[in-house]
Amino acid sequence: MRTKVGIFFGGPSREREISFAGGRTVYDNLNKLLFEPIPIFVDSAKCWYLLDWQYLYKGSIRDFFPPVEMISDRNSSIQIYQESLGPMAEEAYEQMGRNVGRMLRRSELPELVDVAFLALHGEYGEDGQIQRELEYLGIPYTGSGIRASEIGMDKSVQKTLMQEKGFAAPAIEVISRAEYFSSEPSFLYERASLKIGWPMVVRPANQGSSIGVSILQESDGPEEFKRQVEAAFFHVSLPLSEWASRETYERQEYLRYLSDLRDGLAFPLDAKLEGDEHAVTIYTPEDLSDRLDKWAEDQPESVLLLQAHQSEDRVLIEAFIAGREFSCIVLRTEDGGCVALPPTEIKKGSEVYDYRSKYLPGLSRKITPIDLPEPAISDIRRDCEKLFAEFGFGAYARIDGFYQEDGTIYLNDPNTTSGMMPSSFFFHQAAEIGLGPSELLTYILRISLWEREQQGSDLGANAAHFGAQIDAKLSELRASLYDKQTVAVLLGGYNAERHISVESGRNVFEKLSGGGRYRPLPIFLSKSGKDNGYALHILPLNLLLKDNADDIKIKLETAWADHPSVVEVRRSCGSLIEKYATNPRFAPEPIGWEALANQSDMVFIALHGRPGEDGEVQTKLEALGLPYNGSEPASSRLTIDKYETLSRLRAIGLPTATQLIISEGEFIENEAYCYDRIEAELPYPLIAKPVDEGCSAAVKLIRQRDELYAYCHLMFRTPQLDEAHARRELHLKQKEEFPQHPRILFEQFIEQGDAIHFLEITGGLITRYDSEGELTYEVFEPSETPAGATILSLEEKFLAGEGQNITPARLAAGDYDYAYVSSRVKADLERAAREMMVSGYCRIDAFVRVYADGRVETIVIEINSLPGMTPATAIFHQAALLDYKPHDFIDQLLQFGVERSSRSSLAALESSVAEMAADMKNPPEGVSFTSREAQVAAADTLIMESTPSTPETQLEDQPDGSTDRSEGKPRWKEILEEAKKLV
């Protein structure tokens, strides 16, 4: 009997996208032999929905909620949240529920779930509200109780309590909304300057994920103070002259920014002209755009005041703490105590540790444990454990703080719910004691049930019952052995997409860990002077869960030794590790390709760009006889070259962008001629990108000569390069990598032209063998991928909550319905894949034009032979429409690789048998077979030596412990019998 776990995620807060991604992580990583996960989506009105599982694999909440059927066609350029629909009757909520599952009444919950896993953040997640509702229903839940949650949510209350209990705390000033908007900002500025000093931190009182946080220097002055405080109140002043001066695309970007829950105001919002008494409520970006145009025309010198409905009542001004920033997870232990895990230092430079830095791999570094002497780490852990106990937290908490040179420890942000992204502190630190995500979640559920037991009443009785059920099942599972195939998951690399590769590989590792069929082995690939340029290492969990490739590489290049503080934590958690961890590994292990072949049955390549998508790794694996995912070497070498790809597609009649390549040698020889040639062949704006790298690496829209100059000099790293100026000219984000490459591909910028409908799509597909051994293609319904700034960024493709992937794409146009357009687009995608000899799977990026006469043009931009496999990537959304859960989809890719490898081996075997038969009929001089038995033995030996290692039958573990045995005689057996007949 599996325990039914209702996973609550979403909610009304500005952190709802991280909650959504965290809920998906929990759903994927719960041990399916112990638990039955039930996804429960909470909307911004605090309604509950029993969500169909397919929607978990959308890129963001806005991809499915509100359902597209309930959104006006006019509101299509920028995705909206449900608040933009305005006030709704209860029937509308029921209708929304029917589109994504069904609406759930509170009274239904006790029949549906045994325990609630809370992956909610902020309001209605960490403030005690939902905890109170669940206690009323008698349903145990994870995390802290009601009172501790209320304390953990309000940062101003936290600061006061911490001072009362003797913890070091910076000077703070609390400004209420009423006080701010009834006072002169200059007065508040002077007061804060005197009381707080410089620098100072401005932050909303009830937001997490660093939303609304800014750092002010004295040089910023009163105007910047005013702007940042208003931003923390989610209030913006917009001069209408500024709006009028913006280009169309700049206006669109500004509206997109305002729509963002994390950085902007979000809709609905109130708008009024400065000096007016009454505001008008605006629900959508399009409505705001219309009003801005009219106001700017009528009153161009006025200032428009915008105020979010989802705002703050209080803003905190606090002294900036100069010190080493850290975050520490504290766990309740089964003896009723608590233990702080090794604290993690956050390395980010001087900028604010904002939402983007927290959740996009590679923008910050997490060093575990923090680089301090062991006594200092012990002090941090002691203070975190003390705060956990003083605030009455339960099950687990995340406590952030700073360590100063004089030994002062400031704990400044206790959280009763941690982010549950795959690379979050939550999983990152638990890996130091050998707990993988699945094992940690099991522990959190079990210890949360212990917490609820202590509360007594019916809630405690229910918790005790389900806790005992989990204990019994755990003992049963630990006593059982499962025959699993080993999958080496290759991740890392050394190009600009290495961090995304780590996230892809980690996601594949975690998906495979949650099933019963495979034992994944994480293998990090890096550059080396040996073994054809590659170094391979088996990673322990604590390295696999680092959030970027550079952290892993640094650790691998450093003499490995367990930090004393980590050893101490492991000692303190000995019984926990023994009960919950499965075969923990605590040190990396170098491994060669031959050894990898001996330890693995197959390989999943989670690399992007070079190496990985260029065929080199595939060639090596084929030589070792290891099956792998994705296309074969010849196809991979073609598809990574974007110029060659489009040249071949153009040759078979598919429409493509006009292209031009400029090499570094040409550019150095005659720079001016290169500019003239580019501008003669390609009008502005145009696209520039490396000719053979992974997707989104240095892909930029070039609008004029200055940007073209900056791009070429930065890509070629010329002697006259002014890198800072070039980065500003190209609008590169902080820490955005820009690779050096010897060739630049310039492409025509694809536009709508005279088509009646135009959109950018990405389409995935997988391949199979039919009964005749022919390769067949299954093309998924494509996703629409509107870009925030014309070119899709790494964030939009891979960061949860950042990109907009509408699946299926909105292909219908005029008189032509979805089926008509989709069938033509999918046929073009298959035609492109066949021409490029794709096998296994791929992702194809393209533009689609639909014309008034019914013509449909699919303009392929590139083919990715190893698509990103991060939790937020579009290919999982597309596969879900065909009922592939991520684990099942990955399994399909692996099994195709095994079958392809087997077919290749069998083809070689058939050839060997034919040669052997010929030799036996006409044996070489001096060679004879003295008996039929000797001839049969020779055939047996030859064939057995050539037989692929694929077992005659495949065993798949089922949740109930049974096995599923495939039927049919292997082809090699048939060949063996035929060979025996020959002799």
Side-chain angles (χ1 to χ4, degrees), residues 504-733:
S504 287
R506 180 172 52 233
N507 187 44
V508 170
F509 175 90
E510 291 171 357
K511 297 295 187 292
L512 294 178
S513 296
R517 183 172 191 165
Y518 300 108
R519 184 178 74 92
L521 188 67
I523 306 292
F524 186 82
L525 182 148
S526 57
K527 189 175 284 187
S528 168
K530 300 177 181 179
D531 204 3
N532 293 323
Y534 303 137
L536 304 177
H537 287 84
I538 304 174
L539 296 181
L541 274 174
N542 57 348
L543 283 193
L544 176 64
L545 293 185
K546 300 292 184 190
D547 65 338
N548 70 72
D550 294 343
D551 274 359
I552 296 174
K553 191 169 187 296
I554 289 168
K555 284 287 189 180
L556 293 175
E557 292 172 347
T558 306
W560 188 266
D562 284 325
H563 195 282
S565 65
V566 175
V567 173
E568 170 57 25
V569 175
R570 288 177 191 157
R571 187 196 61 76
S572 301
C573 296
S575 60
L576 185 160
I577 295 169
E578 184 179 355
K579 182 176 178 180
Y580 292 92
T582 305
N583 300 322
R585 180 194 299 270
F586 293 117
E589 178 187 333
I591 185 172
W593 289 99
E594 294 289 345
L596 181 68
N598 292 332
Q599 293 191 37
S600 308
D601 298 300
M602 61 196 77
V603 172
F604 193 100
I605 309 172
L607 301 165
H608 303 308
R610 292 181 183 273
E613 293 186 84
D614 57 359
E616 289 188 25
V617 169
Q618 292 86 341
T619 300
K620 190 171 286 290
L621 295 176
E622 287 190 358
L624 294 168
L626 277 173
Y628 57 87
N629 59 304
S631 289
E632 294 172 283
S635 175
S636 299
R637 284 191 291 270
L638 283 173
T639 54
I640 197 171
D641 188 319
K642 299 178 179 69
Y643 183 83
E644 181 64 24
T645 295
L646 295 202
S647 296
R648 291 178 67 108
L649 297 184
R650 199 178 298 120
I652 63 169
L654 286 174
T656 66
T658 303
Q659 296 178 301
L660 170 66
I661 290 179
I662 296 293
S663 70
E664 183 177 1
E666 291 176 278
F667 185 80
I668 298 301
E669 183 178 345
N670 196 332
E671 179 177 340
Y673 171 75
C674 289
Y675 295 145
D676 292 341
R677 182 183 169 202
I678 294 165
E679 291 171 338
E681 297 190 31
L682 295 169
Y684 291 116
L686 55 87
I687 302 295
K689 62 177 81 168
V691 69
D692 53 0
E693 260 299 343
C695 60
S696 297
V699 180
K700 291 296 173 185
L701 182 72
I702 306 298
R703 293 187 172 89
Q704 35 98 0
R705 172 72 75 98
D706 288 346
E707 292 177 355
L708 181 61
Y709 176 96
Y711 190 95
C712 293
H713 281 273
L714 189 56
M715 179 64 72
F716 294 143
R717 301 298 197 272
T718 62
Q720 59 267 51
L721 169 65
D722 180 344
E723 184 165 351
H725 175 77
R727 293 181 66 86
R728 285 194 302 272
E729 193 71 44
L730 296 172
H731 309 290
L732 298 183
K733 297 184 180 76

Side-chain angles (χ1 to χ4, degrees), residues 44-197:
S44 55
K46 303 173 189 174
C47 297
W48 299 352
Y49 301 87
L50 184 60
L51 195 70
D52 291 343
W53 68 263
Q54 289 89 342
Y55 294 102
L56 275 169
Y57 300 102
K58 297 292 187 179
S60 75
I61 292 170
R62 290 180 293 178
D63 287 345
F64 69 92
F65 202 88
V68 68
E69 296 83 356
M70 300 183 71
I71 300 173
S72 165
D73 289 340
R74 186 167 182 275
N75 299 321
S76 60
S77 59
I78 298 175
Q79 286 184 302
I80 59 173
Y81 288 101
Q82 80 185 82
E83 291 95 325
S84 286
L85 299 181
M88 294 188 298
E90 185 172 348
E91 293 77 14
Y93 291 101
E94 296 276 6
Q95 181 185 346
M96 285 198 294
R98 286 191 292 273
N99 278 277
V100 298
R102 71 177 179 87
M103 194 172 176
L104 193 61
R105 308 292 178 189
R106 267 46 171 186
S107 58
E108 296 180 79
L109 199 64
E111 298 300 317
L112 187 67
V113 308
D114 300 326
V115 58
F117 196 108
L118 301 183
L120 295 160
H121 294 276
E123 180 190 355
Y124 199 66
E126 296 179 81
D127 60 1
Q129 288 188 61
I130 194 168
Q131 289 86 351
R132 187 174 282 106
E133 289 187 36
L134 292 169
E135 288 196 12
Y136 176 79
L137 294 169
I139 295 175
Y141 54 86
T142 56
S144 292
I146 296 169
R147 178 58 182 151
S149 297
E150 290 170 341
I151 294 171
M153 179 67 181
D154 192 318
K155 293 177 176 59
S156 61
V157 171
Q158 288 175 4
K159 302 289 184 185
T160 303
L161 285 175
M162 288 166 70
Q163 287 176 332
E164 291 175 357
K165 295 180 180 296
F167 291 93
I172 64 168
E173 172 85 357
V174 180
I175 302 175
S176 70
R177 170 179 291 280
E179 180 185 19
Y180 180 81
F181 288 103
S182 64
S183 304
E184 280 295 323
S186 58
F187 166 74
L188 298 174
Y189 171 79
E190 292 298 335
R191 189 176 74 183
S193 301
L194 291 172
K195 182 175 181 180
I196 307 300

Side-chain angles (χ1 to χ4, degrees), residues 315-340:
V315 165
L316 268 62
I317 314 292
E318 57 187 29
F320 177 79
I321 306 168
R324 309 279 284 277
E325 189 171 0
F326 65 83
S327 189
C328 185
I329 299 294
V330 182
L331 299 178
R332 173 74 71 201
T333 53
E334 291 185 313
D335 61 2
C338 64
V339 59

Side-chain angles (χ1 to χ4, degrees), residues 908-924 929 934-944 946 975-976 978-983:
L909 179 59
E910 288 175 338
S911 176
S912 297
V913 168
E915 292 176 10
M916 178 192 70
D919 287 344
M920 289 179 176
K921 290 176 181 176
N922 303 289
F929 292 100
Q935 295 169 348
V936 170
D940 275 348
T941 300
L942 173 63
I943 293 169
M944 291 304 291
S946 305
I975 295 173
L976 175 60
E978 291 300 318
K980 289 181 178 179
K981 290 177 184 176
L982 289 173
V983 296

Side-chain angles (χ1 to χ4, degrees), residues 423-437:
S423 63
S424 70
F425 297 111
F426 187 62
F427 298 122
H428 182 90
Q429 293 178 18
E432 296 290 342
I433 60 172
L435 292 185

Side-chain angles (χ1 to χ4, degrees), residues 796-934:
E796 290 173 311
K797 286 190 174 183
F798 302 115
L799 175 58
E802 185 73 18
Q804 301 178 22
N805 289 304
I806 304 168
T807 309
R810 296 171 294 187
L811 291 170
D815 297 330
Y816 308 104
D817 63 12
Y818 177 85
Y820 173 86
V821 180
S822 175
S823 63
R824 283 154 178 77
V825 170
K826 289 163 66 177
D828 286 342
L829 297 182
E830 179 175 341
R831 189 177 168 201
R834 284 187 179 277
E835 174 62 22
M836 303 306 290
M837 302 179 292
V838 165
S839 63
Y841 69 130
C842 76
R843 190 192 80 232
I844 304 177
D845 296 337
F847 289 95
V848 174
R849 290 185 182 129
V850 183
Y851 293 90
D853 62 2
R855 284 181 298 121
V856 177
E857 281 186 348
T858 309
I859 307 163
V860 173
I861 299 302
E862 61 182 55
I863 299 176
N864 294 281
S865 62
L866 292 174
M869 300 293 280
T870 68
T873 194
I875 203 164
F876 284 135
H877 321 161
Q878 297 168 16
L881 293 180
L882 295 174
D883 257 5
Y884 291 114
K885 290 185 177 179
H887 177 276
D888 302 327
F889 179 59
I890 294 167
D891 178 63
Q892 285 283 329
L893 304 183
L894 288 169
Q895 289 308 306
F896 175 84
V898 169
E899 184 175 1
R900 179 177 59 195
S901 180
S902 298
R903 286 178 179 276
S904 176
S905 297
L906 290 169
L909 179 59
E910 288 175 338
S911 176
S912 297
V913 168
E915 292 176 10
M916 178 192 70
D919 287 344
M920 289 179 176
K921 290 176 181 176
N922 303 289
E925 186 176 351
V927 177
S928 64
F929 292 100
T930 56
S931 68
R932 176 174 175 78
E933 289 74 18

